[in-house]
């Protein structure tokens, strides 16, 4: 696979219509089951796992009335499968629905060629050091923009609440933002956006890595910054509620880190725009802190906070769930 533009691959995504409504309803869909022993979700002698439909998106690959259905996994006895973090998160979101929790996730990820080289990097060597790549433009600075554009179009068509895209600090690392989404829908939209990315990258012969530190050395890691607000935080004077939430978060740093992604210790080193995994810090406009209050939020006195600790490989249900639990339910 050579590293160049693929206009023939991008064209169908550019042609997707925008703004069509989903023509299906959750209760029209039946419960299905699959072989959980093939996915390490069940033992062979009791392998059937139930799929309960949870969210519907439009299918950008087949078009028309075709849909993609996100489902929750349940065991034979009716208990949620151990891989099903949505079940618990949905309960938390239900309990906290009066505060109207909103989230915006910044999903960072890294592209690799089939041979294991970061996509577009010189084979057996390295590109120039970090600096000219973040939000960059131009050949040699950004890689696979056509794939990124295809993904953005596919998300818009599917009905995912995608809000932006940017090239990241490390070359061939990218980010998309999904949100603001309320409550449990945040996890649904992020998982479907990830699925579309991996499916589309397949067409390009590109591998997507969600590892939080895909390359050792002086290269930025990949996170999933979690922006969060409640109704109170979004209204004038909301800074008091933001500060109260930060105070509560500071008391449960370790509990949060435990569900903020695997191998996150390789990323949260206190360098490369991260806070150290062992300490909780916060500050306005501080990209080396655990929690950052964006500058415009500090200036206007209300808005939202950014939890910078979550890694790129998080389960968004676990992260949004514990944030609401810590700040609203304890
Ligand atoms: P950064 O400056 O950290 O790179 P981004 O612009 O990439 O920030 O992402 C900001 C995210 O915050 C977006 O997903 C956006 O939808 C989300 N966001 C904006 N306002 C709110 C809010 N009030 N509550 C929660 N999330 C919000
Ligand atoms: Mn961002
Ligand atoms: Mn980023
Ligand atoms: Mn951020």
């Amino acid at each position: 696979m050579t590293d160049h533009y693929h206009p023939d691959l991008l064209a169908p995504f550019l042609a997707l219509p925008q703004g069509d409504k989903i023509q299906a309803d959750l209760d029209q869909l039946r419960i299905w089951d699959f072989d959980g022993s093939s996915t390490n979700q069940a033992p062979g002698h009791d392998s059937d796992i139930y799929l309960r439909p949870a969210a519907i998106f439009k299918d950008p690959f087949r078009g028309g009335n075709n849909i993609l259905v996100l489902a929750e996994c349940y065991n034979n006895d009716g208990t949620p499968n151990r891989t099903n973090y949505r079940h618990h998160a949905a309960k938390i979101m239900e309990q906290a629905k009066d505060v109207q929790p909103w989230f915006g996730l910044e999903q960072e990820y890294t592209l690799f060629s089939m041979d294991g080289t970061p996509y577009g990097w010189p084979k057996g060597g390295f590109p120039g050091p970090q600096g000219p790549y973040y939000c960059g433009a131009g050949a040699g600075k950004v890689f696979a923009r056509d794939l990124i554009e295809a993904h953005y179009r596919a998300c818009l068509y599917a009905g995912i609440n995608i809000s932006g895209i940017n090239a990241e600090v490390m070359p061939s690392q990218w980010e998309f933002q999904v949100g603001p989404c309320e409550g449990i829908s945040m996890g649904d939209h992020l998982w479907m956006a990830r699925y579309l990315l991996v499916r589309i990258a397949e067409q390009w012969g590109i591998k997507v890595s969600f590892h939080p530190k895909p390359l050792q050395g002086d290269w930025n890691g990949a996170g999933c910054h979690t922006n969060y607000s409640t109704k109170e935080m979004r209204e004038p004077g909301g800074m008091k509620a933001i500060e109260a939430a930060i105070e509560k978060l500071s008391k449960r740093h370790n509990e949060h880190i435990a569900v903020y992604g695997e191998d996150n210790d390789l990323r949260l080193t206190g360098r490369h725009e991260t806070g150290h995994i062992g300490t909780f810090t916060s500050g306005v406009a501080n990209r080396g802190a655990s929690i950052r209050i964006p500058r415009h939020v500090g200036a206007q006195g209300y808005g939202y906070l950014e939890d910078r600790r979550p890694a790129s490989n998080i389960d968004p249900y676990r992260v949004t769930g514990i944030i609401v639990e810590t700040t609203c339910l304890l």
Side-chain angles (χ1 to χ4, degrees):
M1 178 67 61
T2 50
D3 298 343
H4 57 62
Y5 274 65
H6 306 81
D8 48 329
L9 290 176
L10 177 57
F13 294 97
L14 295 180
L16 286 171
Q18 306 288 322
D20 293 4
K21 289 265 177 310
I22 297 170
Q23 303 287 352
D25 206 73
L26 271 183
D27 39 76
Q28 292 175 278
L29 303 174
R30 57 159 291 186
I31 293 175
W32 200 250
D33 57 55
F34 72 100
D35 170 17
S37 71
S38 296
T39 56
N40 206 15
Q41 287 172 292
H45 65 270
D46 186 19
S47 68
D48 284 4
I49 296 287
Y50 290 112
L51 288 170
R52 283 195 207 158
I56 301 175
F57 297 89
K58 283 162 60 205
D59 182 341
F61 305 108
R62 296 202 170 105
N65 287 333
N66 292 291
I67 54 174
L68 294 172
V69 179
L70 184 127
E72 280 191 48
C73 292
Y74 284 86
N75 303 320
N76 188 31
D77 63 4
T79 55
N81 188 260
R82 60 174 173 74
T83 60
N84 176 358
Y85 293 107
R86 189 182 189 279
H87 176 86
H88 180 63
K91 283 189 183 165
I92 290 176
M93 297 304 175
E94 178 60 29
Q95 283 179 60
K97 65 170 186 283
D98 290 348
V99 307
Q100 296 173 19
W102 288 9
F103 302 94
L105 294 182
E106 303 170 49
Q107 175 70 66
E108 294 179 342
Y109 59 96
T110 314
L111 302 177
F112 284 87
S113 296
M114 291 301 288
D115 66 4
T117 314
Y119 189 74
W121 287 31
K123 304 293 175 195
F126 292 93
Q130 293 185 159
Y133 307 110
Y134 175 68
C135 299
K141 299 218 177 60
V142 289
F143 303 96
R145 195 190 288 279
D146 52 354
L147 162 61
I148 272 60
E149 186 66 19
H151 175 244
Y152 195 63
R153 302 286 179 135
C155 286
L156 289 174
Y157 172 83
I160 290 166
N161 193 15
I162 193 163
S163 44
I165 291 276
N166 64 273
E168 267 304 333
V169 174
M170 177 181 134
S172 216
Q173 197 168 80
W174 289 85
E175 167 179 314
F176 62 84
Q177 297 95 30
V178 181
C181 288
E182 189 163 333
I184 198 68
S185 73
M186 183 70 256
D188 299 344
H189 283 234
L190 189 77
W191 270 118
M192 193 53 75
R194 283 174 172 173
Y195 173 74
L196 293 184
L197 177 62
V198 173
R199 275 281 306 265
I200 294 166
E202 190 184 310
Q203 299 180 12
W204 265 254
I206 291 178
K207 290 198 275 191
V208 178
S209 168
F210 292 106
H211 194 280
K213 194 75 181 182
L215 288 192
Q216 296 296 312
D218 234 346
W219 306 104
N220 273 31
C224 193
H225 297 164
T226 302
N227 300 276
Y228 167 62
S229 64
T230 59
K231 188 167 179 289
E232 202 185 354
M233 294 178 195
R234 292 189 291 273
E235 288 170 354
M239 189 56 76
K240 274 179 73 172
I242 293 174
E243 281 164 0
I246 292 173
E247 175 64 19
K248 288 178 172 173
L249 289 166
S250 75
K251 303 231 161 71
R252 291 188 90 210
H253 180 65
N254 293 339
E255 289 89 337
H256 280 250
I257 288 295
V259 297
Y260 277 12
E262 276 174 36
D263 293 321
N264 205 13
D265 53 316
L266 301 175
R267 164 180 167 260
L268 293 183
T269 57
R271 299 180 58 232
H272 301 115
E273 302 177 52
T274 69
H276 194 275
I277 195 163
T279 42
F280 182 93
T281 52
S282 64
V284 174
N286 183 354
R287 288 175 193 267
S290 316
I291 306 280
R292 163 178 156 259
I293 298 173
R295 172 137 10 246
H296 68 274
V297 173
Q300 74 189 5
Y302 61 95
Y304 62 98
L305 61 84
E306 177 193 41
D307 190 340
R308 299 178 60 80
R309 296 170 294 175
S312 46
N313 59 0
I314 51 161
D315 188 309
Y317 298 124
R318 301 182 86 179
V319 171
T320 57
I322 196 171
I323 288 176
V324 168
E325 181 185 75
T326 299
T327 61
C328 302
L329 301 181
L330 293 183

